[in-house]
Amino acid sequence: MSRAHELSAQEDTNRRVLRARDEMDRRYAEPLDVPTLAAIAHLSPSQFGRVFKDVYGETPHRYLQRRRVERAMTLLRQTDRPVTEVAWDVGFASLGTFSRTFSTIVGCSPSEFRAQHAPVSVPSCFIAAWTRPRTSVSDRSGTAVSEKRDDLRDD
């Protein structure tokens, strides 16, 4: 097999996994499971989990949880809706699971987060990029994105 053909096959796999990740970004509030996402990527569930982790540095489940928590952070900051409603809106079926997951990723409870972060009037995409939790080792490895984020925080 030629090197060009190998790259093409790898690129094809990466594109298919990206398609599944995009679906997770669009439907984060819906119940999504690995077999469904694997079908979108045209991979077996076990192969999908392995390839997704190789490409993005975290499991599909962890990625989906992080996306849900990111959206919850925005809702907690910009609305006065009860924490329970925020948990339901971002796709968690249990307030306990939401609180535990939120605390693990963000480092404080949803209520503490809300108390510490007053509403701000800047584009939500900027806030999401600024406050994106660092959960993977690759985020701490000095990538261009993390270095830019560190530069912005130092200013």
Side-chain angles (χ1 to χ4, degrees), residues 30-98:
E30 299 175 22
L32 290 172
D33 57 14
V34 170
T36 301
L37 296 167
I40 292 168
H42 299 287
L43 297 170
S44 71
S46 60
Q47 187 181 17
F48 173 73
R50 193 172 48 254
V51 171
F52 191 95
K53 187 169 182 176
D54 286 346
V55 172
Y56 296 109
E58 60 189 338
T59 65
H61 178 69
R62 184 65 174 176
Y63 177 81
L64 184 59
Q65 284 186 322
R66 193 168 51 75
R67 289 289 296 137
R68 289 173 172 168
V69 167
E70 288 172 2
R71 180 64 183 145
M73 291 167 68
T74 300
L75 292 173
L76 290 167
R77 198 179 305 108
Q78 296 180 344
T79 70
D80 59 353
R81 297 167 59 199
V83 172
T84 304
E85 282 185 25
V86 170
W88 302 156
D89 288 350
V90 299
F92 283 92
S94 157
L95 181 59
T97 301
F98 170 68

Side-chain angles (χ1 to χ4, degrees), residues 103-139:
S103 297
T104 300
I105 292 174
V106 178
C108 63
S109 73
S111 298
E112 291 169 341
F113 178 82
R114 173 176 272 163
Q116 295 169 1
H117 296 86
V120 290
S121 58
V122 295
S124 61
C125 60
F126 180 79
I127 294 170
W130 183 266
T131 60
R132 178 164 283 162
R134 296 175 182 200
T135 57
S136 68
V137 173
S138 63
D139 278 351

